[in-house]
Amino acid sequence: MRLELRGITKRFGSFTANDRIDLTVEPGQIHSLLGENGAGKTTLMNVLFGLLHPDEGEILIDGEPVRFANSGDAVRRGIGMVHQHFMLVPVFSVTENVVLGFEPTKSLNRVDYKRATEDIVRLSAQFNLQVDPDATVENLPVGLQQRVEILKALSRDAELLILDEPTAVLTPQETDALMAIMRSLAEAGKSILFITHKLKEVRAVADVITVIRNGRVVGSAEPTATEGELASLMVGRDVELTVEKSAFSPGENVFEIRDLVVRDDRGLVKVNGVSLDVRAGEIMALAGVQGNGQTELVEAIAGMRHVESGTILLNGRDVTNKTPREVLDAGLGHIPEDRQRDGLVLSMSVADNLVLNTPRRAPFARRGTRNLAAVHDNAQKQVRDFDIRTTSVDEPVASLSGGNQQKVIVARELSRPLAFLMASQPTRGLDVGSIEYVHRQMVNHRNQGNAALIVSSELDEVLALGDRIAVMFDGRISGIVDPTTSREAIGLLMAGTAGATDE
Amino acid sequence: MSVIESTAAVVSNRRVRVIAVMMGVLGVFSLIVFAVGSPSVAHSSFLFNPVNLSESAPWHVGTLTLNSRLADLVLALIMIGLAVETYVRRPARGVMVRFGGVAVLFLLTLLIWAARTPGPSPVSFVNLTALLIGSSEVTMVLVFGSLSGVMCERSGVVNIAIEGQFIGGAFVGSMLASTTHNFFYAAIGGALIGGAIGWILAFFALRYLSDQIIVGVVLVTMLGSLSSYLNLQVFTPFPQYNTGNLAPNLAIPLLSKIPVLGPVLFNQSGFFYLMLVLIGVISFALFKTRYGLHVRAVGEHPRAAATVGIDVVRVRYINVILGGAIAGIGGVAFMASQGQFQPNYTSGLGYIALAAMIFGRWRPSGAVVASVIFGLSVYLSYTLTSYQVPVSLYILQMFPYLITIAVVAGLIGRVRAPAADGVAYQHD
Ligand SMILES: Nc1ncnc2c1ncn2[C@@H]1O[C@H](COP(=O)(O)OP(=O)(O)OP(=O)(O)O)[C@@H](O)[C@H]1O
Ligand SMILES: [Mg+2]
């Protein structure tokens, strides 16, 4: 399919998210879209997928102008989309999610689940996307949910596949697998529109690169361009890809866990006797392939999951099985893994989300009444400092782009006095410029003598930030190493092979 | 995996304990008040024959005479046992079933106690079959109401207006039944008025994104007053429009002769059979058909449904209107079981129906089971005074509402409502 976008303009009120965008995708081409957080990439894709209606401009498929009333129309014209924020029904099975909207039926309008399941099994074998068709989606790790999304798009014979930051939540192995799939789809003549903030991936897989800034196409690049060139084209200035850290001089233990055991929702032991300590002025990076217990560990520390045994000490206080409020009061700052579910109240304004865990404290409240002026001023300051792209601080946070939503959380947590910062995948979905900024903030926090635990599945991030690196595998710490350790050695710990001698 | 769910998991563990404690309180109450409260020689006797079939019935189930104290003691101990088991084991599934079982046992111990005769020989009887037949009228209304609730809430709209749809259906139904002498037309009329009320709710909730609960409550209040006014203006001066509307029973050959339950289930009005059919149809539609899958998707994650081309607003309109129609028919059915319309006759049954839907975990089958339990307790609260219960009628009438509050408070955090239930949906 040959897709052409001509002069697409999309406004939200007085704000122009897409400004006369032209874009052509040839059959069999992998076309990569690069751009800062809030540049308008997702908006453009939503227009193309029929979820938003353009104010101006037209969409042409194989030279013929088309209009989509809704995304059902887009799917019927052969467009498939994997959304930045998954569009899966959590309580449905994989099969139900994949067929939703396009169900094979038997008599009496019944859904033919047998046929649907067979189709999925065949498709997942064909594209090497293994997933249990009967599993309930909410019980699947994010990587598998991502697979379900891709299967859903492929099952409808998409000729053009839109992938909006599909790799943000994938492990490196899963990312490699996805890129292999993309290549094979392109060879089969399908077109792909691929959005990512990871410049490595762009260089590895793209045929054509288009860069968008502030809603406009600002240029294109060859896949042979260096990461530095791509970064400065995107952000419009040079980006430091590494952070300066002051000399490492750790102090007292601020945070300590002993023999922690935590179960997941299905009652399986996910954290199996973990002990860890973090000192003042130190960043402890927790590396590991997703699904090895990091999520449960973080939830238990934050007071959001029951601790079966073991203790958590924060600032000398025992916070084991305390409520999130008590843990926060003890000095924890928390950047959660799933921003939309656990970090934000999407329907509330940017300003309110920026004081979400301190609304009752001075200066944001006095004698039980909110001080809205202070809330507003704080919001203005954070929006400026963290470069949060929003039309106004009174906008609901839901209308921000994915990366800017993440920045709201980071700004909120880093702008209040903390004894201990715990951040889970803190730069997921951020553009290179923002990553640079957030990393610098976290290092500042450490340089001022504070402690931090940073959970990340990005090896680059772990190596850039960590003063020590703990690797988690299968519910245990398989090793604690310093950042000069080779990637290979850390990789082995992540795969559990080096730690196996412990047992 | 996510924090919300894991918080829910922690909370739900606590909820299980709360429910277990509630079960235990019921058990201990039965033990102390009903078992110990019966003299050791007292007996309770039960009959199983419907009054109108007792002579002609080809079968005869003998009376059952129990030692009141002993029987209540055994049942109370079972209740306490279930409570302890739930508290200690905190089972992942079947908590509601256990709670329902304890509720039924509680009603049984209450009955045995109420039917006690002080001496060793039985003098008075409780006719269990007649009791079930009596309560089936209330149960039927609750089933219509909770099915209506299931239809609406599965698509993500809270229908608090069920009570109002009952009232509207009952009023229109009475008028149509007395003028046309045909209950079919009455049912159609009830469905139309119920559907129209549903449409109003949907219009404000979906078009203007108004708060669904507020719109619902306003509708109920309005219809309550409107029907009282019309009752004064129409039915009082022209009583011929509101009389003789008792729906006849249609006994199903053979089936109605099954001992004990036959007369309860198979010697009923057409409305009752319609209800049985609806239970099956809605279960099937919701869980087997393509449309049902769309409805559930819309109720859980409307944006996801929209991205696959499902028209969220349309699905919600359809379900709220259909749900309204079902509640409207429920109103006609209730009127037809009483023989006439009376203002305020439904006295909050619409809300109890919603509680039954929650208890039934938004499933038609569960809602039916819950409706049976609620129906029994409502009916008992009206009839117990005829037995030797030394409690004021007004206190007794609080009983079903107390159970409702206990159920809703205890279960609402445990059972999971459709995720987008009551949440306005707006596309960009
Ligand atoms: N429904 C909406 N109402 C108002 N503004 C919106 C809405 N949707 C998006 N925007 C604004 O449009 C701009 C572009 O958002 P978009 O989601 O397209 O960015 P993006 O390029 O995908 O960024 P990211 O990389 O962070 O995902 C943002 O500034 C956002 O605030
Ligand atoms: Mg985006």
Side-chain angles (χ1 to χ4, degrees), chain A residues 41-42 84 164-165 401-402:
Chain A
K41 305 178 296 291
T42 299
Q84 182 172 9
D164 193 354
E165 293 191 39
S401 78

Coordinates of all heavy atoms in Angstrom, one line a residue, chain A residues 41-42 84 164-165 401-402, ligand 2:
Chain A
K41 N 3.4 13.3 17.1 CA 3.5 12.0 16.4 C 2.3 11.2 16.6 O 1.6 10.7 15.7 CB 4.7 11.2 16.9 CG 6.0 12.0 16.8 CD 7.2 11.2 17.3 CE 7.1 10.8 18.8 NZ 7.3 12.0 19.7
T42 N 1.9 11.0 17.9 CA 0.7 10.2 18.2 C -0.5 10.8 17.6 O -1.4 10.1 17.0 CB 0.6 10.0 19.7 OG1 1.7 9.3 20.2 CG2 -0.7 9.2 20.0
Q84 N 0.4 3.6 21.6 CA 1.4 3.9 22.7 C 0.9 3.4 24.0 O 1.7 2.8 24.8 CB 1.7 5.4 22.7 CG 2.7 5.8 23.6 CD 3.1 7.3 23.4 OE1 2.4 8.0 22.7 NE2 4.1 7.8 24.1
D164 N 3.3 2.7 17.4 CA 3.6 3.9 18.2 C 4.4 3.5 19.5 O 3.8 3.0 20.4 CB 2.3 4.6 18.6 CG 2.5 6.0 19.1 OD1 3.7 6.4 19.3 OD2 1.5 6.7 19.3
E165 N 5.7 3.7 19.5 CA 6.5 3.4 20.6 C 6.3 2.0 21.1 O 6.1 1.7 22.3 CB 6.4 4.4 21.7 CG 6.9 5.7 21.3 CD 7.0 6.7 22.5 OE1 7.4 6.2 23.6 OE2 6.7 7.9 22.4
S401 N 1.0 14.5 25.9 CA 1.6 13.4 25.2 C 2.2 12.4 26.2 O 2.5 12.8 27.4 CB 2.7 13.8 24.2 OG 3.9 14.2 24.9
G402 N 2.4 11.2 25.8 CA 2.9 10.2 26.7 C 4.2 10.6 27.5 O 4.2 10.5 28.7
Ligands
MG2 MG 3.1 9.7 21.5

